[in-house]
């Protein structure tokens, strides 16, 4: 792979990932400034729930697909599987919304935001195939322009209609056009290279085998999203919508660390799989170690900046007084760094096909978060929610590192 190709991969993957992270930041910013703190809390909760169910639709096939260099499964198998999981995602959203909130405006907003996640889920299978065919730059381009169009159209809708649901509908229409153009028209020639003809029986067998293999990863991903959202769910239960908005704003720098970890590591997935398949374990461990130090450096820089300018800048940006929340911001940055570490080890474990052990790590940490969330948040408020995030990420990181070390000994 030449240096120009590597540069293009990183540039477009970076732009796509930055745009994705910026989308939630910008959406919350506009909603809070235009519609107020309470609406910001409503949006934050609905967005968190839509991300929760997105993990069902994605079924965590992307890491498996990108590292499937021996082509155990064809693109058609991945695509049909993703269509099935997307249908399940939509059904889960509708059933959950009606069961928990009835036929209310909050349920309608949840379904509307979750509908936007359909594009993330469906296009991801195209991008996974592009990455598997060494066209990560094409995937990054498509992702950047689609997320950009979704974000801009949503913001325009909020400003024009002063209504979250109507903004979602406008964004749905724009996103559909952009998604079809980039994934079904512009890049289809690259994706079609991964197509393989199947008879119906063999396709059904391969689809169910793929779903079976990815199920532990899917459950793990669902629990991973839950771990990130557990503080928000606890705030929703014990505090106010305004508190939920404050927590979501303070979480933004931690989100930046998670973004950086994916920028550093996600483009390496295919090459990491090559190192593992070739038996070069020393180089494999070296790549993981370098990623750890990169994340540590990012955390140190963001922490130093946050001590001086963090709460004043975020407060000015969102028009909210955050002067009393510096310690909470620094706690969340520690949690963000620990989460980034766990993501790096997670990808390494996926490459080693340690799905069952990954699931065990997520399950143990989720049980802790479920039982610890209430006492921490009810007693210490937003600070308790931040502490819950840090402790959960620390436990998850320790679990994954233990699994990785044990796998290396084997």
């Amino acid at each position: 792979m030449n240096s120009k190709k590597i540069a293009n991969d990183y540039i477009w993957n970076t732009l796509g990932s930055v745009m994705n992270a910026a989308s939630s930041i910008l959406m919350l910013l506009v909603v809070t400034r235009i519609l107020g703190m309470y609406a910001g809390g409503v949006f934050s909760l609905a967005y968190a729930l839509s991300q929760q169910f997105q993990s069902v639709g994605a079924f965590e096939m992307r890491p498996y697909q990108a590292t499937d260099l021996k082509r155990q499964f064809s693109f058609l198998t991945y695509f049909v599987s993703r269509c099935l999981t997307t249908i399940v995602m939509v059904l889960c959203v509708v059933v959950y919304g009606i069961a928990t909130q009835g036929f209310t405006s909050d349920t309608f907003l949840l379904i509307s935001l979750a509908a936007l996640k359909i594009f993330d889920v469906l296009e991801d299978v195209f991008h996974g195939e592009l990455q598997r065919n060494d066209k990560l730059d094409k995937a990054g381009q498509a992702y950047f322009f689609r997320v950009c169009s979704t974000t801009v159209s949503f913001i325009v809708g909020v400003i024009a209609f002063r209504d979250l649901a109507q903004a979602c509908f406008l964004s749905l229409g724009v996103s559909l056009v952009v998604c079809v153009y980039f994934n079904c028209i512009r890049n289809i020639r690259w994706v079609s290279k991964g197509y393989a003809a199947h008879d119906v029986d063999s396709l059904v067998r391969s689809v169910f085998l793929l779903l079976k293999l990815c199920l532990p990863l899917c459950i793990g991903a669902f629990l991973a999203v839950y771990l990130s959202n557990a503080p928000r769910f606890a705030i929703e239960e014990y505090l106010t919508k305004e508190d939920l908005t404050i927590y979501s704003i303070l979480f933004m720098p931690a989100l930046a660390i998670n973004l950086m970890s994916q920028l550093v590591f996600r483009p390496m997935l295919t090459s990491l799989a090559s190192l593992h398949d070739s038996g070069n374990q020393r180089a494999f461990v070296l790549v993981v170690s370098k990623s750890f130090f990169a994340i540590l450096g990012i955390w140190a820089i963001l922490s130093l900046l946050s001590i001086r300018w963090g709460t004043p800048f975020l407060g000015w940006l969102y028009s909210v007084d955050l002067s009393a929340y510096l310690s909470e911001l620094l706690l969340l940055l520690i949690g963000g760094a620990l989460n980034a570490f766990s993501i790096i080890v997670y990808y390494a474990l996926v490459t080693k096909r340690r799905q069952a052990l990954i699931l065990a790590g997520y399950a143990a940490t989720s049980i802790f978060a479920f039982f610890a969330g209430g006492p921490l948040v009810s007693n210490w408020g937003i600070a308790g929610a931040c502490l819950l995030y840090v402790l959960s990420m620390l436990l998850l990181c320790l679990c994954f590192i233990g699994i990785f070390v044990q796998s290396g000994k084997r």
Side-chain angles (χ1 to χ4, degrees), residues 34-338:
I34 299 295
L35 303 179
M37 286 276 286
Y38 185 87
V42 172
F43 170 80
S44 296
L45 181 63
Y47 192 85
L49 287 169
S50 69
Q51 287 182 311
Q52 190 73 64
F53 289 109
Q54 181 185 347
S55 63
V56 176
F59 219 75
E60 201 59 9
M61 286 184 197
R62 174 70 178 272
Y64 202 98
Q65 184 181 8
T67 56
D68 185 13
L69 302 185
K70 296 179 180 178
R71 300 192 178 275
Q72 179 183 3
F73 299 105
S74 68
F75 170 70
L76 182 60
T77 299
Y78 284 107
F79 178 74
V80 173
S81 301
R82 188 63 63 89
C83 289
L84 292 175
T85 58
T86 303
I87 293 171
V88 173
M89 179 189 81
V90 173
L91 291 175
C92 287
V93 170
V94 174
V95 171
Y96 175 86
I98 295 174
T100 58
Q101 303 177 60
F103 294 92
T104 64
S105 58
D106 286 349
T107 300
F108 189 64
L109 175 60
L110 170 61
I111 294 172
S112 301
L113 277 172
L116 289 175
K117 296 298 181 182
I118 291 175
F119 300 110
D120 293 85
V121 169
L122 283 179
E123 74 176 3
D124 186 60
V125 74
F126 289 91
H127 299 170
E129 192 63 26
L130 287 169
Q131 185 173 3
R132 188 164 67 155
N133 285 287
D134 200 24
K135 296 293 179 183
L136 186 60
D137 57 332
K138 303 291 183 183
Q141 289 175 19
Y143 190 56
F144 171 78
F145 287 112
R146 205 276 307 160
V147 175
C148 184
S149 66
T150 299
T151 305
V152 171
S153 55
F154 177 85
I155 290 173
V156 170
V158 170
I159 296 173
F161 304 124
R162 297 294 199 277
D163 183 82
L164 290 174
Q166 291 186 58
C168 287
F169 274 109
L170 174 63
S171 189
L172 274 171
V174 174
S175 300
L176 176 62
V177 173
V178 176
C179 184
V180 169
Y181 170 72
F182 276 99
N183 297 294
C184 299
I185 298 176
R186 184 173 178 180
N187 288 322
I188 196 65
R189 66 185 184 276
W190 303 110
V191 174
S192 62
K193 290 183 177 182
Y195 177 83
H198 292 268
D199 58 70
V200 175
D201 289 340
S202 66
L203 179 61
V204 170
R205 285 195 300 270
S206 62
V207 165
F208 277 97
L209 177 58
L210 176 61
L211 292 174
K212 179 182 177 181
L213 291 171
C214 291
L215 180 59
L217 295 176
C218 171
I219 298 173
F222 184 87
L223 295 176
V225 178
Y226 170 76
L227 289 175
S228 293
N229 288 334
R232 290 185 174 89
F233 295 154
I235 291 173
E236 166 66 14
E237 183 174 357
Y238 293 99
L239 304 178
T240 67
K241 289 290 192 300
E242 289 78 7
D243 290 323
L244 186 56
T245 301
I246 290 172
Y247 176 86
S248 298
I249 295 171
L250 293 172
F251 189 76
M252 293 305 173
L255 183 65
I257 299 180
N258 296 337
L259 167 66
M260 295 300 177
S261 69
Q262 295 193 42
L263 294 183
V264 169
F265 208 70
R266 197 170 193 179
M268 298 180 184
L269 271 176
T270 305
S271 59
L272 199 69
S274 298
L275 291 173
H276 180 262
D277 291 345
S278 67
N280 193 346
Q281 292 303 305
R282 183 176 182 180
F284 184 92
V285 173
L286 184 61
V287 170
V288 175
S289 301
K290 287 182 177 178
S291 301
F292 270 114
F293 285 110
I295 297 304
L296 188 62
I298 293 168
W299 166 79
I301 293 171
L302 284 177
S303 296
L304 289 174
L305 292 174
S306 295
I307 290 172
R308 179 64 180 87
W309 294 293
T311 51
F313 175 74
L314 290 172
W316 167 80
L317 190 63
Y318 287 89
S319 190
V320 177
D321 183 13
L322 300 173
S323 57
Y325 295 101
L326 176 58
S327 59
E328 286 84 351
L329 175 60
L330 295 177
L331 269 176
L332 287 174
L333 282 171
I334 294 172
L338 291 170

Side-chain angles (χ1 to χ4, degrees), residues 342-373:
S342 70
I343 290 172
I344 290 171
V345 185
Y346 166 83
Y347 281 133
L349 292 174
V350 170
T351 304
K352 289 175 172 288
R353 300 299 188 242
R354 296 291 188 265
Q355 294 97 309
L357 294 176
I358 290 172
L359 176 57
Y362 277 127
T365 310
S366 297
I367 291 172
F368 165 79
F370 180 80
F371 287 104

